[in-house]
């Protein structure tokens, strides 16, 4: 098993500000997302990822987001094992200083 790809909140913010089209997936619970989500991110709760794998494309790379980076890291490991290209946003929304909606 290869190491997990990671991106910092600052790196992600720079990519978004540069207009890059990224596939963001927020795996937090509904009440957490209600407090703010990165614009453009899809919300798919961690517990529902296995039944939602058909919503992902193995040719695309996904950046997984949670509150602190722990749950999204677990989702990344699971999805990597299924053959998906995933990157974990380390620090999660606790460290996110960019725009939320």
């Amino acid at each position: 098993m290869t190491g997990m790809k990671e991106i910092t909140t600052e790196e992600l913010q720079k990519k978004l500000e540069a207009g890059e089209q990224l596939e963001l997936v927020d795996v937090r619970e509904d009440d957490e997302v209600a407090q703010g989500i990165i614009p453009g991110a899809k919300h798919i709760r961690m517990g529902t990822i296995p039944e939602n794998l058909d919503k992902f494309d193995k040719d695309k790379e996904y950046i997984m987001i949670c509150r602190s980076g722990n749950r999204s890291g677990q989702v990344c490991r699971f999805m990597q094992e299924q053959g998906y290209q995933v990157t974990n946003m380390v620090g999660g929304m606790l460290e996110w200083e960019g725009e939320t909606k």
Side-chain angles (χ1 to χ4, degrees):
M1 167 108 186
T2 55
M4 188 181 358
K5 287 175 71 176
E6 295 182 336
I7 188 168
T8 66
T9 55
E10 293 86 9
E11 289 167 337
L12 179 58
Q13 196 169 346
K14 284 190 182 109
K15 286 177 176 278
L16 291 172
E17 286 169 358
E20 285 191 43
Q21 292 300 307
L22 303 170
E23 297 290 333
L24 307 177
V25 180
D26 193 318
V27 300
R28 296 176 298 156
E29 295 300 315
D30 296 341
D31 59 328
E32 294 173 290
V33 169
Q35 297 167 18
I37 186 170
I38 298 172
K42 292 185 188 86
H43 177 220
I44 305 175
R45 292 188 320 279
M46 176 180 177
T48 67
I49 290 285
E51 69 219 44
N52 282 296
L53 284 177
D54 60 339
K55 293 185 176 155
F56 295 93
D57 180 343
K58 289 191 177 176
D59 295 329
K60 291 183 179 174
E61 183 173 333
Y62 297 91
I63 297 173
M64 308 310 267
I65 300 162
C66 73
R67 190 180 71 90
S68 67
N70 287 334
R71 283 175 286 175
S72 52
Q74 292 173 14
V75 170
C76 283
R77 277 189 286 281
F78 169 76
M79 290 188 67
Q80 252 183 343
E81 289 167 5
Q82 312 305 313
Y84 292 92
Q85 300 175 57
V86 286
T87 300
N88 187 28
M89 185 177 91
V90 289
M93 292 302 285
L94 289 176
E95 291 185 16
W96 179 254
E97 293 177 1
E99 191 184 342
T100 59
K101 62 174 188 167

